Amino acid sequence: KGEGLEAVYTEVKAGEVDILVGTQTVAKGLDLPKLATVGVVQADAGLSLPLPQNCTVFSSEWQSFDLGGVWISGIRITEENAHRFATSTPKVAGKHIVMLHGQISTQPGEEMIALPKLKNKNIDYLALGHVHKAGDFRAGQTLCAWPGCPMGRGYDETGEKGVCIVTLEEEAQIRPVSLDTIRFYELDVNVGADARAALESALPAVG
C-alpha cells in the first residue's frame, strides 16, 4: 500500500534520508550506516541492548546536535523538568528539529507538552511521539506532527499506518508514507440471514 515498507527502507539505506526520529522501535535491529543520526525519545528497558554510534537516547536534560546546519534537540519531559523545559529550549543557528514524547496540554506535567510556551523558539519541525494516530498541524512557523505508528498493533489502532518524511526547505513540508502490511478496521455490518456473505461484502478488496 502506498510506497510500501521496502521502498522507504531502500530510500533510507541509500542515504537519501538523513535523520530518523522516533521511539525505541527505530533503534532495534537496523543496520543503516549512511544514516546521519537516529534520535530516540521515551526509551525504556527494551533499549538495554548495544546501540549504534549514530543513535542518541534523549534524557531529562536538553541535548542538541549539529548536522551541518540542521540541529536536532530533544529532551524527556518529566515531573521534575515539566515547568522549565520550554523556557530552556536550545537556541541554535540553522534549521531546528525538536523531538518530544507526549501529548499537547495547557498544564505542565510528565509527558505534557505546553505548546504555547514553544512558540517563537526557532523550531522548524516538532517531531512528536506518544499518540499512535497520525496527525499534523502548524503552530506559527513550526510544523508539528505525530507520525503515528508504522503498523497497527490491535483492533484499537485502526486505519492506515505508516511514517512521515519531512523536508526542511523554506518551510518544513511533510509527506505521509503508508507502511502497514496488516490493517485493522472497525465496520458496522448488518449481517442479516447470511452473516458470512455480509462480512465478506463489507471488507475491502485484497490486493
Side-chain angles (χ1 to χ4, degrees):
K1 301 183 177 84
E3 294 181 50
L5 179 60
E6 290 296 330
V8 174
Y9 180 76
T10 300
E11 190 174 347
V12 174
K13 193 167 185 177
E16 298 174 20
V17 174
D18 299 311
I19 302 165
L20 188 64
V21 299
T23 52
Q24 62 261 21
T25 303
V26 301
K28 296 178 179 177
L30 298 178
D31 180 20
L32 301 167
K34 293 185 179 181
L35 193 64
T37 193
V38 177
V40 181
V41 290
Q42 192 62 15
D44 61 7
L47 279 182
S48 59
L49 49 86
L51 299 176
Q53 292 183 347
N54 62 353
C55 181
T56 296
V57 178
F58 292 109
S59 66
S60 57
E61 297 294 332
W62 279 107
Q63 295 171 269
S64 297
F65 302 90
D66 181 10
L67 301 177
V70 176
W71 287 81
I72 299 180
S73 300
I75 189 172
R76 181 174 181 177
I77 305 172
T78 65
E79 289 288 352
E80 290 72 25
N81 68 18
H83 290 272
R84 57 178 173 83
F85 87 91
T87 58
S88 59
T89 307
K91 297 180 180 179
V92 303
K95 296 294 184 181
H96 195 192
I97 299 171
V98 169
M99 295 178 57
L100 296 175
H101 185 276
Q103 55 189 355
I104 303 300
S105 175
T106 58
Q107 300 297 325
E110 183 175 4
E111 297 188 6
M112 297 297 179
I113 303 170
L115 192 61
K117 294 185 178 181
L118 292 174
K119 287 185 177 180
N120 303 317
K121 296 288 186 179
N122 190 35
I123 301 173
D124 296 282
Y125 172 44
L126 181 57
L128 298 168
H130 179 60
V131 178
H132 287 193
K133 184 177 181 180
D136 64 272
F137 60 95
R138 293 192 182 270
Q141 68 172 9
T142 304
L143 170 64
C144 310
W146 284 281
C149 51
M151 187 176 297
R153 302 180 303 173
Y155 291 103
D156 59 339
E157 295 183 358
T158 58
E160 186 175 353
K161 302 293 180 183
V163 297
C164 295
I165 295 180
V166 174
T167 304
L168 295 179
E169 296 177 340
E170 290 298 319
E171 184 179 63
Q173 301 293 331
I174 190 169
R175 174 165 59 96
V177 179
S178 174
L179 295 185
D180 50 348
T181 54
I182 297 175
R183 187 173 297 175
F184 295 92
Y185 292 89
E186 183 175 334
L187 302 172
D188 293 324
V189 179
N190 183 3
V191 296
D194 190 341
R196 179 171 179 171
L199 289 171
E200 289 178 346
S201 64
L203 291 173
V206 177

